[in-house]
């Protein structure tokens, strides 16, 4: 009997990971699908490669990007936080592929609390990190990251088949942050999606979190998922600061722009995080800019 239940749970988990094919990983989609097929050219263009410690443009010095490292994507969240967000999968983080872990990385977790005829609760979590370098022709890493942040937040607001899409700026999380929420109806149930995009200096962090009540169980409350998402995003941002020798300052000087909820350009003037460090970085490794998810690709509105 025990083996039968275990096999049923494994099959259901595989089905649900595929069913949760919501538009996530918009920032670092290439992390889980790098194939070395030449798609890295576009990624390098987005990341601002060809970095120089003191690049010049028309005689003007372009300052170095603030952060030169990324933390291990599967370790940016504490075990306590993971236990809260993905209780049945806190130790099952799956790291995506990346040709250069100093410029991009991602990690995902899934959780299925299967109570048989009493219903089930499914959760899926993904953290993506993308670091931008200063470029002598395109500008500072902070400027490039801010531009990408604005585009990425707009992408998150333009998901096909999304219902009741809402967007709001989030304070205290990096230099600027936007939370986008909506739900998607699947045959397995209603999946409530939370996508929080934030920029901390020259790094863009995206946290995707979705949940569903299955087999007659109630759907999770959007407010509870949003609260958990914001908490985890703050933790991920602080991990970036700490990895570069900084102290507490991941959100203390946030300059989130309220107009971000309308898709306006992000603020071009990043603030200094406490204890931040400067340094050279590496070129962004392969990957594409297509939206992918735990179960496959997703379509965005044009």
């Amino acid at each position: 009997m025990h083996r039968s239940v275990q096999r049923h749970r494994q099959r259901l988990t595989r089905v649900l990971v595929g069913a949760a094919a919501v538009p996530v990983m918009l920032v670092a989609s290439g992390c889980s699908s790098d194939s070395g097929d030449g798609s890295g050219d576009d990624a390098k263009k987005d990341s601002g490669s060809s970095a120089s410690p003191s690049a010049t443009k028309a005689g003007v010095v372009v300052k170095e990007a603030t952060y030169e490292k990324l933390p291990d994507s599967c370790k940016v969240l504490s075990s306590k936080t993971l236990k809260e967000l993905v209780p049945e999968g806190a130790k099952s983080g799956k790291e995506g592929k990346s040709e250069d872990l100093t410029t991009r990385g991602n990690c995902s977790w899934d959780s299925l609390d299967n109570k048989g005829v009493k219903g089930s609760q499914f959760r899926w979590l993904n953290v993506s990190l993308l670091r931008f370098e200063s470029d002598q022709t395109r500008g500072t890493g902070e400027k490039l990251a801010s531009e990408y942040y604005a585009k990425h937040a707009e992408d998150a607001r333009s998901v096909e088949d999304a219902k009741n899409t809402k967007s709001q700026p989030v304070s205290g999380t990096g230099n600027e942050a936007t939370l986008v929420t909506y739900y998607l109806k699947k045959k397995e149930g209603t999946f409530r999606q939370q996508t929080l995009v934030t920029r901390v200096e020259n790094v863009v962090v995206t946290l995707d979190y979705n949940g569903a009540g299955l087999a007659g169980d109630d759907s999770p409350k959007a407010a509870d998922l949003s609260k958990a998402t914001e908490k985890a995003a703050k933790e991920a941002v602080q991990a970036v600061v700490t990895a570069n020798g900084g102290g507490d300052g991941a959100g203390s000087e946030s300059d989130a722009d309220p107009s971000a909820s309308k898709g306006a350009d992000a603020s071009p003037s990043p603030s200094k995080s406490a204890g931040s460090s400067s340094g050279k970085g590496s070129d962004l490794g392969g990957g594409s800019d297509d939206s992918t998810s735990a179960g496959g690709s997703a379509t965005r509105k044009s």
Side-chain angles (χ1 to χ4, degrees), residues 24-32 70-71 73-74 76-77 96 103-109 124-131 148 152 195-198 203-208 236-237 240 292:
V24 295
M25 292 176 59
L26 294 172
V27 165
S29 59
C31 298
S32 61
L70 288 179
S73 57
C74 288
V76 297
L77 301 180
T103 52
R104 69 164 69 224
N106 88 281
C107 192
S108 62
W109 299 258
W124 191 84
L125 170 68
N126 186 84
V127 176
S128 298
L129 309 170
L130 184 61
R131 187 178 66 84
Y148 192 83
H152 182 33
T195 298
L196 198 154
V197 188
T198 181
V203 176
V204 176
V205 178
T206 300
L207 194 141
D208 289 289
V237 165
V240 174
T292 58

Side-chain angles (χ1 to χ4, degrees), residues 6-82:
Q6 186 176 38
R7 286 197 297 271
H8 172 71
R9 177 173 297 183
Q10 291 173 344
R11 286 197 297 272
L12 184 55
T13 298
R14 288 196 295 270
V15 169
L16 290 173
V17 171
V22 294
V24 295
M25 292 176 59
L26 294 172
V27 165
S29 59
C31 298
S32 61
S33 59
D34 288 343
S35 59
D37 59 359
S39 58
D41 293 341
D42 291 337
K44 290 181 180 180
K45 188 181 300 181
D46 274 337
S47 70
S49 55
S50 302
S52 172
S54 57
T56 59
K57 181 179 180 181
V60 178
V61 175
V62 178
K63 79 179 185 70
E64 300 176 23
T66 301
Y67 295 140
E68 62 177 357
K69 301 177 182 178
L70 288 179
D72 184 330
S73 57
C74 288
K75 296 181 180 179
V76 297
L77 301 180
S78 67
S79 57
K80 178 181 178 181
T81 296
L82 289 172

Side-chain angles (χ1 to χ4, degrees), residues 76-127:
V76 297
L77 301 180
S78 67
S79 57
K80 178 181 178 181
T81 296
L82 289 172
K83 189 66 176 177
E84 293 173 356
L85 272 65
V86 282
E88 301 300 319
K91 297 181 180 180
S92 63
K94 301 177 182 64
E95 185 175 11
K97 296 178 181 179
S98 176
E99 292 182 3
D100 186 354
L101 293 175
T102 69
T103 52
R104 69 164 69 224
N106 88 281
C107 192
S108 62
W109 299 258
D110 60 77
S111 170
L112 177 63
D113 185 7
N114 188 349
K115 298 178 181 178
V117 296
K118 295 183 179 180
S120 303
Q121 285 292 324
F122 177 74
R123 299 291 185 272
W124 191 84
L125 170 68
N126 186 84
V127 176

Side-chain angles (χ1 to χ4, degrees), residues 13 21 28 36 40 45 57 63 76 83 105 133 141-142 147 151 155 159 175 211-212 215-216 227 233 238 268 301:
T13 298
K45 188 181 300 181
K57 181 179 180 181
K63 79 179 185 70
V76 297
K83 189 66 176 177
E133 300 168 336
E142 284 76 5
E147 292 172 348
K151 175 182 179 295
D155 287 342
V159 173
N175 299 91
K227 183 177 180 181
Q238 184 58 50
K301 295 179 183 177

